[in-house]
Amino acid sequence: MSAPVEILSRLLWLRDTATLPDKALADQLGMDPKALATLVRSHPERFNESLVFPLSAEERQRIPVAPILAFTEAGAALLTGLLPDKEPALLALLPAFAEARHVMTAQAELSARLAILEQQFEVILKALQGDEEGDAHAEHPIGFVPVDLPRGLKT
């Protein structure tokens, strides 16, 4: 099942995980972001910082409209127990997180393959540059006719 593009486009990659900003999650649930933040703060035992976290100053600078909180997949899923009437909307978000994870894994694999190809290319390039240098210093470049050939074979 493919996740809706509007959800995927709102996911952020923060702290090596896909996260959904509090405003995007609140919009998806038809809630006020402040009410969502209050709900999270009122259940600290349920939402530890690995599941729902505030953005650091550095993260806020990188993101144009920085959210107050970022929800991981597990953090969003934990809301189902607290908001049973919003369960269908929350469950609709989970495929987007899974798809984001798949995209990031595929991107990491492609990046690793590209790094290997770049290394191989550098080796080939060095070998070719080495051959060019060797040709310049060769005793008999291609097309050289030695002086000691019989008279009729010289051109």
Side-chain angles (χ1 to χ4, degrees):
M1 179 170 127
S2 181
V5 174
E6 65 271 4
I7 296 171
L8 278 174
S9 66
R10 297 178 90 176
L11 287 173
L12 302 173
W13 196 258
L14 297 169
R15 302 181 192 180
D16 295 327
T17 189
T19 62
L20 191 61
D22 54 359
K23 174 129 175 55
L25 181 58
D27 288 348
Q28 202 61 29
L29 299 175
M31 294 178 66
D32 180 45
K34 290 179 182 178
L36 189 59
T38 302
L39 181 68
V40 169
R41 276 194 303 272
S42 64
H43 295 87
E45 73 286 348
R46 188 173 198 140
F47 299 101
N48 65 33
E49 195 159 318
S50 65
L51 304 176
V52 178
F53 53 87
L55 269 61
S56 67
E58 180 184 323
E59 290 167 335
R60 286 179 178 275
Q61 288 178 343
R62 290 185 322 192
I63 302 168
V65 182
I68 295 170
L69 295 173
F71 288 80
T72 64
E73 179 178 8
L78 282 175
L79 286 170
T80 58
L82 297 174
L83 301 167
D85 57 321
K86 307 286 186 187
E87 187 172 332
L90 285 165
L91 294 177
L93 294 172
L94 298 183
F97 280 102
E99 193 164 327
R101 224 180 12 260
H102 172 73
V103 167
M104 293 309 293
T105 302
Q107 183 180 359
E109 290 171 359
L110 285 173
S111 180
R113 289 176 62 192
L114 181 62
I116 291 169
L117 287 173
E118 286 174 341
Q119 290 173 347
Q120 291 173 343
F121 178 73
E122 287 176 13
V123 168
I124 292 170
L125 187 61
K126 285 179 183 177
L128 288 174
Q129 288 172 344
D131 285 348
E132 289 175 5
E133 290 173 5
D135 288 345
H137 301 294
E139 280 185 37
H140 304 289
I142 295 175
F144 177 78
V145 179
V147 179
D148 57 345
L149 286 175
R151 200 171 253 261
L153 295 176
K154 290 183 182 177
T155 56

